[in-house]
Amino acid sequence: MPSISVARRSFLVVVSGPSGAGKSTVVDRVLKRSSRLVASVSITTRPPRGEERDGVDYFFVARDEFERRRDAGAFLEWAEVHGNLYGTPAAFVSRTLDEGMSVILEIDVQGGMLVRDRHPEAVLIFIMPPGLEALRERLRGRATDEDEIIRRRLEGAARELSFYGRYDYIVVNDDIERCADDCAAIIRAEGLRRERASL
Ligand code: 5GP
């Protein structure tokens, strides 16, 4: 019998949720569990925090440079969050998708909604913190941030939470390993959808 080969189309995965919900750690763990999945590194005007490295956590740029790239159409989506600009590099994403790899974007809910409109095949996962108190503790735990920034982030968190109903999947991050397992399972199953396969 001739063997059957099924080609599977790559896709975008959006991970959003309030700051402090543990998204970055979840995404790191998901990348270790998933083959054919690559993270997009965003461009931001926010200054580096703690051990963050340019080109690894973000590409850190000045505001005028960000605006120049935005006006040249370099971003798949972009948004202003807590007074800083963040954008997803369009060329990297389309090149990676063309190479057959799926791309995971850790972005805010405004960006998530833009991706959903422009890429209806994208999979949107919302990471829910186990409770507001846990969220506050995690934000305080980032000793590099000032009180004022923490307060602004808590307000932002409440706004982000109100978007969960527009996401495809909700995963509660009360246990990081289980949360990463759940996200990896979602991505794996989504990759097997009939709509993404061609024989
Ligand atoms: P942070 O400054 O804590 O790293 O990120 C603040 C928020 O910006 C987080 O919700 C993060 O997911 C979001 N963010 C990071 N990169 C992007 C991006 O490229 N686009 C959008 N829309 N949001 C982003």
Side-chain angles (χ1 to χ4, degrees), residues 5 9-10 19-20 25 46 62-63 73 104 108 111 113 115 122 126 132 136 139 144 155 158 169 179 194:
S5 86
R9 257 192 310 283
S10 50
S19 335
T25 319
R46 166 169 82 59
R63 202 172 178 103
I104 189 162
D108 86 314
M113 294 301 97
V115 172
F126 193 94
L132 268 187
R136 204 169 282 137
L139 288 177
T144 48
E155 278 173 17
Y169 296 91
C179 180
R194 176 188 38 77

Side-chain angles (χ1 to χ4, degrees), residues 64 70 76 80 83 104 129 142-143 154 156 164 168 173 181 185-186:
D64 57 354
R70 179 195 61 196
L76 173 73
E80 179 152 4
I104 189 162
R142 282 184 190 164
L154 270 173
Y164 79 87
D168 300 313
N173 186 14
D181 278 344
I186 290 165

Side-chain angles (χ1 to χ4, degrees), residues 29-62:
R29 305 282 165 98
V30 169
L31 285 166
K32 294 207 174 79
R33 287 163 166 81
S34 311
S35 57
R36 292 189 60 199
L37 185 69
V38 173
S40 161
V41 177
S42 294
I43 290 104
T44 186
T45 62
R46 166 169 82 59
R49 197 161 57 206
E51 302 279 283
E52 286 181 336
R53 281 180 297 152
D54 189 43
V56 177
D57 302 284
Y58 284 106
F59 292 103
F60 298 98
V61 299

Side-chain angles (χ1 to χ4, degrees), residues 23 42 46 49 58 77 79 86-88 106-108 111 153:
K23 279 173 297 175
S42 294
R46 166 169 82 59
R49 197 161 57 206
Y58 284 106
E77 61 71 39
Y86 297 82
T88 301
E106 189 210 314
I107 59 178
D108 86 314
R153 280 171 187 267

